């Protein structure tokens, strides 16, 4: 008689996570061979962050989804307070790095902490709880109830974004809105409202790009877009007309990826000097080290992971809508990070400070991503248990 696999062993999620952890540590190890930070061992530190993250994942499995739903408001408030405190913190507690005040990094902090990364998870948890609570109170959706739901979700998102965009961190702000937009689309609102929102969003995006490209002064004064952000958009939109200094990062990234050719140079082979190679441009190192084949394999793993989140969200909706929206929210987070980060390294998206989740170096990014993954893993175990009860 065959022994049934434990509900706590979600083999597909475990395998994909282990693959991405391995890729992360190997790529970061290669990136640090460039010698930009000779006194740092980022690969070892990343392994420590992942060990901490795995510990958090295991502990989080001892709590059920209803408990996470009940505390989602408090976690969201904690995230908002953290980005607010960062905004008013003195330079001794939070000094700017690369023109952005995005981290608690003073002498009193043994580790650099980026609160906006954890606020993303709090946002997903509370938005999911808000949608479920709204649908429980409004079993029959109306135009008024749908508009009220959208208003609540936008207000919830705007509160932390108002502080994050002042850091300034436009990239993370866009991530927050993308998560909210995806959850609005999947919340079941009337299709007429949905079409109106999508068209309105597209018009706003086109208008913003038009102002940046053609009227940069107005874009700065009206939209609050910083000059260096305008330069990044211009480099993406009209690369041939930009100065070499403005194109330095994207040129170096393309050169790094292209040098890997089909199968890559292997380990200890990083040669092209690339700023932030272990963080924002880690995919460029993957291209150099493992070539087109390795890069395509990594993209395929991300595709499988996102597909798993989508299918799990759809399958678990009837038994636990909250878990379902957690899946959709975290899927949106991984999707926008993956598309934007890989896109900017190959020149199809403007350069931002958005890391490649599960792969880029970073304590806050790694730990917050593991917290989000732990929530999805809990949804998977609960769904597996429910299925065994049904059959």
């Amino acid at each position: 008689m065959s022994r049934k696999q434990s509900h706590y062993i979600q083999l597909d999620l475990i395998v994909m996570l282990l693959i991405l952890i391995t890729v992360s540590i190997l790529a970061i190890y290669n990136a640090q061979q460039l010698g930009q930070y000779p006194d740092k061992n980022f690969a070892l530190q990343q392994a420590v962050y992942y060990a901490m993250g795995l510990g958090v994942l295991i502990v989080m499995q001892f709590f059920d989804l209803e408990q996470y739903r009940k505390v989602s408001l408090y976690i969201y408030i904690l995230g908002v307070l953290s980005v607010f405190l960062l905004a008013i913190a003195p330079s001794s507690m939070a000094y700017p790095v690369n023109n952005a005040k995005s981290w608690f990094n003073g002498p009193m902090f043994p580790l650099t902490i980026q609160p906006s990364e954890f606020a993303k998870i709090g946002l997903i948890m509370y938005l999911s709880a808000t949608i479920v609570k709204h649908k429980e109170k409004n079993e029959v959706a109306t135009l008024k109830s749908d508009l009220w739901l959208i208003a609540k979700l936008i207000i919830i998102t705007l509160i932390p974004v108002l502080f994050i965009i002042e850091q300034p961190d436009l990239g993370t702000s866009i991530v927050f809105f993308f998560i909210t937009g995806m959850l609005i689309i999947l919340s079941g609102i009337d299709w007429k409202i949905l079409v109106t929102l999508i068209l309105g969003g597209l018009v706003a995006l086109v208008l913003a790009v038009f102002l940046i490209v053609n009227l940069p002064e107005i874009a700065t004064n009206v939209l609050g877009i910083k000059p260096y952000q305008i330069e990044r958009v211009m480099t993406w939109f009209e690369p041939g007309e930009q100065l070499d200094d403005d194109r330095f990062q994207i040129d170096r990234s393309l050169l790094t990826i292209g040098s890997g050719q089909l199968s890559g140079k292997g380990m200890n082979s990083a040669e092209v000097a690339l700023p932030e190679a272990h963080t924002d441009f880690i995919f460029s190192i993957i291209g150099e080290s493992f070539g087109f084949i390795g890069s395509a394999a990594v993209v395929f793993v991300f595709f499988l992971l996102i597909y798993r989140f989508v299918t799990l969200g759809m399958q678990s909706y009837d038994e636990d809508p909250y878990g379902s929206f957690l899946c959709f929210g975290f899927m949106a987070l991984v999707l926008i990070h993956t598309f934007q980060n890989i896109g900017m390294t190959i020149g199809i998206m403007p350069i931002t400070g958005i890391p490649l989740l599960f792969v880029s170096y970073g304590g806050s990014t790694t730990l917050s991503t593991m917290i989000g993954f732990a929530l999805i893993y809990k949804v998977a175990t609960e769904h597996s248990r429910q299925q065994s009860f049904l059959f």
Side-chain angles (χ1 to χ4, degrees):
M1 183 176 179
S2 61
R3 187 176 180 180
K4 190 172 182 180
Q5 179 177 290
S6 169
H7 300 299
Y8 289 101
I9 305 299
Q10 300 295 318
L11 193 58
D12 54 348
L13 290 175
I14 292 173
V15 170
M16 286 186 283
L17 178 61
L18 290 178
I19 290 173
L20 292 175
I21 290 175
T22 302
V23 170
S24 174
I25 295 173
L26 291 178
I28 292 171
Y29 175 79
N30 269 4
Q32 69 188 27
Q33 304 307 309
L34 294 171
Q36 296 173 344
Y37 303 91
D39 57 336
K40 300 286 187 179
N41 190 338
F42 292 120
L44 178 60
Q45 291 179 15
Q46 184 76 348
V48 172
Y49 293 143
Y50 261 121
M52 295 168 60
L54 289 171
V56 171
L57 186 151
I58 293 171
V59 171
M60 288 181 64
Q61 302 312 301
F62 289 95
F63 303 92
D64 59 44
L65 290 172
E66 184 59 27
Q67 290 173 299
Y68 288 122
R69 178 182 173 183
K70 289 179 179 178
V71 301
S72 62
L73 172 60
Y74 306 107
I75 295 176
Y76 166 76
I77 292 174
L78 184 61
V80 172
L81 285 176
S82 67
V83 294
F84 167 72
L85 291 174
L86 179 65
I88 64 174
S91 58
S92 60
M93 296 177 59
Y95 57 85
V97 177
N98 295 332
N99 299 316
K101 186 183 177 184
S102 302
W103 299 268
F104 286 113
N105 49 13
M108 61 184 299
F109 296 99
L111 295 174
T112 299
I113 302 171
Q114 187 174 4
S116 61
E117 293 297 319
F118 297 99
K120 293 174 186 175
I121 306 301
L123 178 74
I124 292 171
M125 294 178 68
Y126 188 49
L127 287 178
S128 301
T130 301
I131 293 172
V132 173
K133 184 177 180 180
H134 179 90
K135 293 175 79 69
E136 289 173 349
K137 287 186 176 181
N138 300 273
E139 295 184 2
V140 178
T142 63
L143 178 63
K144 182 179 179 180
S145 68
D146 283 347
L147 290 175
W148 176 230
L149 173 61
I150 294 171
K152 287 189 290 186
L153 299 182
I154 292 176
I155 291 171
I156 291 169
T157 306
L158 276 175
I159 295 173
V161 166
L162 290 176
F163 300 112
I164 293 171
I165 204 167
E166 286 298 318
Q167 294 178 358
D169 192 344
L170 181 61
T172 299
S173 302
I174 292 173
V175 170
F176 273 63
F177 283 121
F178 183 84
I179 293 170
T180 303
M182 185 65 72
L183 287 177
I184 288 174
I185 291 173
L186 298 174
S187 65
I189 65 172
D190 186 270
W191 69 270
K192 296 176 183 177
I193 301 176
L194 190 59
V195 170
T196 302
L197 287 175
I198 293 175
L199 290 177
L202 290 174
V203 170
L205 179 61
V206 171
L207 180 60
V209 173
F210 174 81
L211 289 176
I212 292 172
V213 174
N214 296 284
L215 302 168
E217 292 184 0
I218 296 179
T220 300
N221 297 329
V222 176
L223 302 180
I225 299 176
K226 306 298 181 182
Y228 76 91
Q229 294 170 335
I230 291 178
E231 290 178 3
R232 289 179 175 180
V233 174
M234 293 298 294
T235 301
W236 165 63
F237 195 77
E238 298 178 340
E241 298 183 12
Q242 303 308 306
L243 300 174
D244 291 342
D245 288 346
D246 295 331
R247 288 186 46 85
F248 178 77
Q249 285 182 303
I250 182 60
D251 287 342
R252 284 286 172 171
S253 177
L254 293 173
L255 181 60
T256 303
I257 294 176
S259 67
Q261 300 185 38
L262 182 62
S263 57
K265 300 176 182 177
M267 299 299 295
N268 297 309
S269 58
E271 297 175 340
V272 183
L274 179 65
E276 307 301 331
H278 62 305
T279 54
D280 298 346
F281 288 92
I282 193 65
F283 189 77
S284 304
I285 298 297
I286 293 174
E288 181 180 29
S289 304
F290 310 115
F292 174 79
I293 295 175
S295 301
V298 171
V299 172
F300 183 64
V301 172
F302 274 109
F303 170 80
L304 291 178
L305 191 65
I306 292 170
Y307 176 76
R308 178 72 166 102
F309 294 158
V310 173
T311 55
L312 178 60
M314 295 173 64
Q315 293 166 357
S316 61
Y317 181 80
D318 291 334
E319 63 205 37
D320 191 344
Y322 179 65
S324 177
F325 284 110
L326 283 178
C327 291
F328 294 144
F330 192 64
M331 175 275 294
L333 175 64
V334 176
L335 176 62
I336 184 63
H337 271 261
T338 304
F339 181 78
Q340 168 60 34
N341 182 274
I342 295 178
M344 77 177 188
T345 63
I346 60 177
I348 65 172
M349 294 295 290
I351 293 175
T352 63
I354 295 179
L356 183 59
L357 298 186
F358 295 102
V359 180
S360 290
Y361 170 81
S364 298
T365 300
T366 301
L367 290 175
S368 63
T369 302
M370 289 299 292
I371 292 171
F373 186 84
L375 290 171
I376 306 308
Y377 198 93
K378 185 61 181 179
V379 176
T381 60
E382 290 295 324
H383 176 66
S384 177
R385 182 180 289 108
Q386 288 292 331
Q387 291 300 107
S388 69
F389 290 157
L390 291 175
F391 299 102

